[in-house]
Amino acid sequence: MPTLRHWLDNELDRLVQRGKRELAEAFVDFNQRYFEPDYEGALAAIEPLYNLIHLTHEPLWSAVVGYYHASANLAWKGDLATAWRQSNNAYVQAAQQRGQFDALTIYLQELLLSAHLSVDGPGYAVEVLAALESMPRPLPEDVQQRINLIKAQAFAAQGHPCLLYTS
């Protein structure tokens, strides 16, 4: 996730420069818990983060936390419907604020497509593959690798687990 990490580092620096160190530090703490993984600690930190985002008037950070919240619901809890809804809401919010070529928006789109496949792989595979093909190019290498995994998941959902096109 180097592309997202770079984006986050720049945005965290921006928060600190704008006098919003408390939000930056709360997110860093949450992110550390998320990747330890300290499931309970990370999940418990989400609501206070949303409250701090609201207090600091940083709505883009709702999309950032939405990315991790949806990922947690998808991977940790297996709550596909909530993960799909959260990733969709976060994607729309990020795309409206930063545009569809922003790193956060691209990662959210990738998460949303994964959520679609998790909810109904065979039903969404064709649409997911089409969406992947319409993504801006060139993509950073780490993003392209994640996209390749989603393609493999979509092909498998169609009954073609050995097909993986990396173009």
Side-chain angles (χ1 to χ4, degrees):
M1 297 177 63
T3 299
L4 184 58
R5 180 80 257 157
H6 177 72
W7 186 94
L8 286 169
D9 288 344
N10 288 337
E11 286 297 310
L12 289 166
D13 287 344
R14 182 187 63 79
L15 287 175
V16 171
Q17 290 171 5
R18 289 191 170 177
K20 299 177 181 181
R21 180 178 299 277
E22 184 180 2
L23 175 56
E25 289 175 353
F27 179 80
V28 168
D29 179 63
F30 161 77
N31 198 248
Q32 182 178 353
R33 290 173 186 270
Y34 185 91
F35 284 104
E36 279 181 1
D38 172 5
Y39 303 119
E40 292 175 11
L43 292 173
I46 289 174
E47 195 60 37
L49 258 177
Y50 279 128
N51 292 335
L52 196 52
I53 288 164
H54 179 72
L55 290 172
T56 57
H57 306 288
E58 287 289 341
L60 181 62
W61 281 87
S62 287
V64 174
V65 174
Y67 172 82
Y68 289 98
H69 198 183
S71 295
N73 277 311
L74 188 64
W76 297 349
K77 292 183 168 183
D79 186 347
L80 304 179
T82 300
W84 181 87
R85 181 179 41 77
Q86 289 171 326
S87 59
N88 186 58
N89 291 344
Y91 171 76
V92 169
Q93 185 177 19
Q96 288 174 341
Q97 292 183 42
R98 297 299 287 261
Q100 73 182 88
F101 303 117
D102 183 70
L104 174 63
T105 308
I106 290 171
Y107 268 78
L108 281 161
Q109 183 178 18
E110 168 255 311
L111 177 62
L112 181 60
L113 295 173
S114 290
H116 274 82
L117 289 173
S118 295
V119 169
D120 181 7
Y124 286 117
V126 171
E127 290 86 356
V128 166
L129 289 169
L132 292 172
E133 290 306 314
S134 71
M135 291 182 83
R137 299 287 192 272
L139 292 168
E141 183 179 335
D142 65 305
V143 175
Q144 186 60 56
Q145 290 170 356
R146 294 169 68 90
I147 296 305
N148 289 343
L149 291 172
I150 296 170
K151 282 183 180 181
Q153 186 182 4
F155 289 134
Q158 292 178 317
H160 306 289
C162 63
L163 297 178
L164 176 60
Y165 300 103
T166 58
S167 62

